[in-house]
Structure formats: C-alpha cells, structure tokens
Amino acid sequence: QVQLVESGGGLVQAGGSLRLSCAASGSVSSINNWGWYRQAPGKQRELVAGITNDGRPNYSESVEGRFTISRDNPKNTLYLQMNSLKPDDTGVYYCNAERAWPRRNYWGQGTQVTVSS
C-alpha cells in the first residue's frame, strides 16, 4: 500500500505561481511512475505531468514550459512547480503513483488550485 498526501493548493492571480507537494509513505519502492493529474469542473481527469523513477519528465502540451515536475527521493516527496498560471489551470490536482506489476494506481485526496483572471 502507498499513501499520498497533497498540499500547496490555493487561490492565485493569473501570472502567479504555486508549488504543490505530495508526500508518499508505505511501499514507495514498488512505484515505477509518478504523476500529477488535474480535474476541472465538468471535465475528465487529465495527466498534467509525469516523472519516471529514473527522473525522466513528461508534460501535457498545455503546461509545457510553465510547469516543472520533480521528486526528492530521500524525502519521498513529489513536487509540481507551476509558473505563469492561467485561469484554465484551475481544478483539483491529484498526485498519482503507479505500480507496474501487479498493476495498481494510488491517488491522493486532491488539492484545489484556483487561478483568477
């Protein structure tokens, strides 16, 4: 089992920045991929940024160049630095940990990010 707890959400004006954190505990060594997803009102949850265990990041087109995903392995913490925020970035952001075998996805409880225009 893996437990994930997000923090760092809030209300920010367009153009501002926020940093999200996700503290992981439990069987963290079994996880192969980490990611941040967001869900806007009335929309499906979508992948925003991911990072593999060997540190390779990937980003959705909508956040490329503005968001940076990183992981502090000794602290078992995942981060998402969000710069130049836009109103379209508003949503609940979820931390995700994926185990490849046996396949299992773990989710945090989510943290609200609201960007005002």
Side-chain angles (χ1 to χ4, degrees), residues 1 9 15-16 25-26 30 49 52 55-57 68 73 82 101 105 115-116:
Q1 289 288 338
S25 60
S30 69
T52 62
R56 286 174 291 134
T68 302
N73 289 331
M82 305 185 294
W101 184 260
N105 269 292
V115 184
S116 63

Side-chain angles (χ1 to χ4, degrees), residues 39-57:
Q39 187 163 19
K43 294 187 177 181
Q44 287 190 328
R45 194 174 296 189
E46 61 174 351
L47 176 65
V48 172
I51 189 167
T52 62
N53 254 352
D54 57 1
R56 286 174 291 134

Side-chain angles (χ1 to χ4, degrees), residues 73-95:
N73 289 331
K75 293 184 178 179
N76 285 330
T77 302
L78 182 72
Y79 300 100
L80 185 68
Q81 177 66 44
M82 305 185 294
N83 298 328
S84 301
L85 282 160
K86 305 175 181 180
D88 283 349
D89 295 319
T90 294
V92 179
Y93 283 69
Y94 296 91
C95 177

